[in-house]
């Protein structure tokens, strides 16, 4: 009689093998990163200031205007990115989530691409998991996957060119060169800093093929460079030519240009800040990356991460010369452009360099794994991988529980819409007005009058001049003062001047914003100016 073996005895070894599969764990890391991004996207936070500047400059433009006309509000974005977002909004409407959808898809696409790069670059699972894990859980990459800006697309382009560069083989140079030429030429229209990445890729391959005397492959790399150059020149003539001449942008980023050659101790200090800022950006940046130097850059953990990154660069140079050369040339190209005041080296504009930082740390993990310590080496590698991944993972987990909402303008205006009375109007600064103009029609406040003032150093003058205009309007009733975080956090003088004119009837603190309800009509200040109004009919 034949005996039947219970099915569980077959399933248990299969399940055990599956759990031991390195590929499974890599894809679980990818799934975790995807969940982080999708969760922040579903929250659908309000646009913050820069997003509303781009949105108000974008939504009323057609395809031709986006190609041939510069954006208003001193905004600059790649033409390809703008056209792709425009296509989405034409099909699905102009909402926060449709304007951010391209960024989300870019963020999701970086995850499997990081797996592909890790498999080409490293042998050990610990090193591969380090690269994939850091890309997946980096809080700044999660955040920019859900912002209406092009910076997550810059990261995607960096990883894509890095992958194509690592897989380039002389024996299949025609196929590999074709893909590099096509992807690079198209990517130039979707990312501004990809030009630096292409310089790193092209020159690294050109030097390697020349050194190895691979003449056919070397000629293919030359042709690739010509294709990229033609695409860059077309993009420059059509879109990029006016960006460096924008006086507002040049002034805004004035402290972010590299001093080359460094001539003073202050110049050397700039490079220290830049290095710490880049590491901080990849690991610890929470939310929008502003241009200001942050105190957190100079903390012990950031110095430790910078030291590990530098060691990783050395390890990468021994393990993957091509990747190390590409990263070094890319960095030199960015710094060179920065020294010419053509590209700021700071904050979100260097987000595209973060994958190179993660690549260096993965190389250091690989180096530890290869130490001749038998059993200890894998544990050291795993320990370093876990240590460098824990800091960004902790922050991303925090934002799962407390999602980003830097300026909840939509929530503030919705509250006004739910509690407004006839004659009510809004008072806000010109800094807040772009967000107000974007959200007012979407919250039913398109017909509500607003009084906008231009912030100056004299806040008392700002308040009194604006309240005087309100008092001189015979139809004005209560005043809803909308203050964004720039005012609440950095401009207490504004609030003090407002409250001494008339104490608020109501205060509503919100995430990144605050509402104050005032009624200036009965104040002595307002009565003085109301008495100067001419009688009705005159």
């Amino acid at each position: 009689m034949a005996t039947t073996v219970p099915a569980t005895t077959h399933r248990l070894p299969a399940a055990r093998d599956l759990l031991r599969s390195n590929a499974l764990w890599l894809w679980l890391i990818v799934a975790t990163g995807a969940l982080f991004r999708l969760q922040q996207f579903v929250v659908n936070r309000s646009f913050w200031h820069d997003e509303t500047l781009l949105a108000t400059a974008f939504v009323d433009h057609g395809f031709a205007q986006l190609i041939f006309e510069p954006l208003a509000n001193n905004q600059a974005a790649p033409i390809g990115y703008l056209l792709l977002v425009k296509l989405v909004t034409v099909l699905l409407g102009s909402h926060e989530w449709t304007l951010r959808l391209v960024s989300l898809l870019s963020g999701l696409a970086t995850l499997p691409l990081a797996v592909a790069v890790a498999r080409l670059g490293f042998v050990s699972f610990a090193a591969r998991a380090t690269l994939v894990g850091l890309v997946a859980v980096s809080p700044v990459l999660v955040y920019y996957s859900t912002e209406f800006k092009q910076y997550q697309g810059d990261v995607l382009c960096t990883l894509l060119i890095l992958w194509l560069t690592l897989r380039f083989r002389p024996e299949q140079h025609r196929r590999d060169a074709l893909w590099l030429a096509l992807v690079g030429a198209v990517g130039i229209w979707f990312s501004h800093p990809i030009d630096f990445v292409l310089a790193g890729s092209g020159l690294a391959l050109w030097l390697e093929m020349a050194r190895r005397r691979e003449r056919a492959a070397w000629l293919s790399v030359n042709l690739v460079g010509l294709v990229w150059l033609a695409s860059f020149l077309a993009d420059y003539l059509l879109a990029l030519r006016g960006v460096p001449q924008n006086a507002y942008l040049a002034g805004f980023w004035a402290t972010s240009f590299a001093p080359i050659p460094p001539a003073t101790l202050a110049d050397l200090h700039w490079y220290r800040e830049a290095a710490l800022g880049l590491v901080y950006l990849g690991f610890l940046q929470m939310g929008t990356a502003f241009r200001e130097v942050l105190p957190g850059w100079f903390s012990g953990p950031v110095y430790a991460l910078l030291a590990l990154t530098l060691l990783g660069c050395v390890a990468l140079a021994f393990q993957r010369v091509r990747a190390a050369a590409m990263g070094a040339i890319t960095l030199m190209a960015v710094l060179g452009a920065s020294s010419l005041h053509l590209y700021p080296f700071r904050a979100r504009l260097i987000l595209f360099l973060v994958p190179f930082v993660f690549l260096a740390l993965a190389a250091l993990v690989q180096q530890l794994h290869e130490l001749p310590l038998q059993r200890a080496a894998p544990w050291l590698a795993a320990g370093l991988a876990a240590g460098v991944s824990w800091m960004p993972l902790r922050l991303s987990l925090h934002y799962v529980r407390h999602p980003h909402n830097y300026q909840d303008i939509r929530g503030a205006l919705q509250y006004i819409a739910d509690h407004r009375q006839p004659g009510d109007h809004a008072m806000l600064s010109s800094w807040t007005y772009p967000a107000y103009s974007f959200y007012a029609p979407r919250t039913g406040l398109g017909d509500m009058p607003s009084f906008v003032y231009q912030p100056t150093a004299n806040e008392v003058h700002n308040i009194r001049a604006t309240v005087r205009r309100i008092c001189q309007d015979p139809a004005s009733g209560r005043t809803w003062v909308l203050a964004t975080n720039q005012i609440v956090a950095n401009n207490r003088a504004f609030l003090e001047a407002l409250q001494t004119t008339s104490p608020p009837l109501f205060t509503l603190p919100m995430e990144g914003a605050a509402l104050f309800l005032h009624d200036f009509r009965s104040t002595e200040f307002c009565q003085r100016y109301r008495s100067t109004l001419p009688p009705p009919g005159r």
Side-chain angles (χ1 to χ4, degrees):
M1 178 182 295
T3 58
T4 58
V5 179
T8 54
T9 61
H10 292 286
R11 287 199 296 266
L12 285 176
R16 192 181 301 115
D17 292 340
L18 184 63
L19 291 175
R20 291 175 177 173
S21 168
N22 291 339
L24 171 67
W25 289 105
L26 284 180
W27 288 109
L28 285 176
I29 295 172
V30 166
T32 301
L35 288 175
F36 284 162
R37 287 156 173 79
L38 289 169
Q39 189 261 352
Q40 294 293 318
F41 181 77
V42 170
V43 168
N44 196 29
R45 66 182 180 272
S46 295
F47 279 167
W48 77 286
H49 179 69
D50 276 19
E51 287 181 289
T52 55
L53 287 178
L54 182 56
T56 52
F58 168 88
V59 291
D60 294 328
H61 277 42
F63 287 99
Q65 290 174 296
L66 292 173
I67 295 174
F68 297 107
E69 296 180 11
L71 292 171
N73 302 329
N74 294 299
Q75 295 297 294
I79 288 178
Y81 171 78
L82 294 174
L83 294 180
L84 195 54
V85 176
K86 191 65 181 180
L87 179 62
V88 172
T89 59
V90 167
L91 296 175
L92 302 175
S94 295
H95 312 285
E96 292 103 323
W97 67 271
T98 56
L99 292 169
R100 289 169 170 155
L101 186 58
V102 171
S103 294
L104 174 68
L105 296 177
S106 297
L108 294 174
T110 59
L111 299 172
L113 197 52
V115 174
V117 171
R119 286 175 172 168
L120 280 177
F122 307 107
V123 176
S124 72
F125 170 74
R128 292 176 176 180
T130 300
L131 178 59
V132 178
L134 290 175
V135 171
V137 306
S138 170
V140 74
L141 297 188
V142 173
Y143 174 80
Y144 278 105
S145 295
T146 57
E147 181 172 292
F148 177 41
K149 283 287 186 174
Q150 69 271 23
Y151 304 116
Q152 184 59 44
D154 297 338
V155 176
L156 176 62
C157 288
T158 294
L159 282 170
L160 189 54
I161 297 302
L162 177 59
W163 176 61
L164 291 173
T165 303
L166 289 177
R167 71 192 290 266
F168 185 92
R169 297 290 180 269
E171 58 272 16
Q172 54 191 33
H173 65 87
R174 291 181 180 176
R175 186 202 68 178
D176 292 347
L178 177 62
W179 279 110
L180 268 173
L182 289 176
V183 173
V186 173
I188 285 170
W189 296 85
F190 286 86
S191 170
H192 290 156
I194 194 180
D195 302 328
F196 308 121
V197 180
L198 294 178
S201 168
L203 190 53
L205 288 175
W206 189 90
L207 291 171
E208 181 183 336
M209 295 305 109
R211 180 180 59 81
R212 295 171 56 175
R213 301 183 186 279
E214 297 283 355
R215 186 173 182 275
W218 181 80
L219 290 173
S220 293
V221 173
N222 279 275
L223 291 175
V224 169
L226 291 175
V227 172
W228 291 346
L229 180 60
S231 182
F232 168 76
L233 289 175
D235 184 44
Y236 178 80
L237 293 174
L238 190 61
L240 291 179
R241 182 172 48 182
V243 174
Q245 281 72 45
N246 187 306
Y248 172 82
L249 292 177
F252 185 84
W253 295 102
T255 61
S256 306
F257 298 110
I260 295 180
T264 65
L265 286 177
D267 292 345
L268 294 175
H269 180 65
W270 185 95
Y271 284 95
R272 179 176 69 99
E273 283 185 350
L276 291 169
L278 176 58
V279 172
Y280 182 91
L281 179 68
F283 286 89
L284 299 173
Q285 177 65 48
M286 298 176 287
T288 301
F290 296 108
R291 72 187 190 279
E292 290 81 11
V293 175
L294 300 178
W297 293 9
F298 307 99
S299 64
V302 177
Y303 271 105
L305 286 169
L306 176 59
L308 291 173
T309 302
L310 294 175
L311 289 174
C313 291
V314 176
L316 187 64
F318 282 99
Q319 297 168 18
R320 292 289 182 270
V321 177
R322 185 185 298 178
M326 178 181 172
I329 296 169
T330 299
L331 180 61
M332 288 188 290
V334 184
L335 289 173
S338 181
S339 71
L340 298 173
H341 286 219
L342 297 176
Y343 195 86
F345 195 95
R346 184 67 61 84
R348 50 196 180 269
L349 296 185
I350 57 171
L351 189 66
F352 74 100
L353 291 175
V354 166
F356 288 110
V357 175
F358 295 165
L359 191 71
L361 285 164
L364 184 59
V365 171
Q366 178 68 47
Q367 195 68 38
L368 288 179
H369 189 273
E370 294 175 357
L371 290 175
L373 298 176
Q374 297 181 351
R375 295 181 181 179
W379 286 105
L380 286 173
L384 178 60
V388 298
S389 301
W390 170 243
M391 286 183 282
L393 175 61
R394 178 176 56 85
L395 292 176
S396 288
L397 287 172
H398 169 79
Y399 283 111
V400 169
R401 300 188 300 272
H402 307 285
H404 293 281
N405 204 356
Y406 180 60
Q407 293 177 350
D408 191 13
I409 303 297
R410 183 183 60 218
L413 295 185
Q414 189 60 60
Y415 187 90
I416 296 176
D418 294 339
H419 297 84
R420 67 183 292 192
Q421 295 180 6
D424 284 2
H425 51 266
M427 174 181 167
L428 58 153
S429 75
S430 58
W431 184 271
T432 307
Y433 183 74
Y436 177 83
S437 65
F438 181 81
Y439 278 116
R442 290 166 166 79
T443 53
L445 298 177
D447 62 332
M448 190 171 79
S450 61
F451 292 85
V452 182
Y453 72 89
Q454 183 70 38
T456 67
N458 190 339
E459 292 297 343
V460 174
H461 171 76
N462 293 338
I463 297 305
R464 289 181 177 174
T466 309
V467 173
R468 183 165 58 246
R469 287 191 288 129
I470 293 172
C471 295
Q472 291 173 341
D473 183 353
S476 65
R478 302 182 306 171
T479 304
W480 291 93
V481 180
L482 175 60
T484 58
N485 63 334
Q486 285 90 353
I487 291 175
V488 175
N490 304 324
N491 206 341
R492 293 291 179 182
F494 168 85
L495 298 179
E496 292 174 2
L498 186 66
Q499 290 173 5
T500 55
T501 304
S502 171
L505 305 173
F506 172 78
T507 300
L508 179 66
M510 307 186 76
E511 187 76 23
L515 273 177
F516 306 93
L517 178 60
H518 292 262
D519 193 340
F520 298 112
R521 292 174 292 182
S522 61
T523 64
E524 180 182 350
F525 179 86
C526 198
Q527 289 299 319
R528 182 165 68 249
Y529 288 100
R530 279 184 179 270
S531 64
T532 62
L533 293 173
R538 290 185 57 186

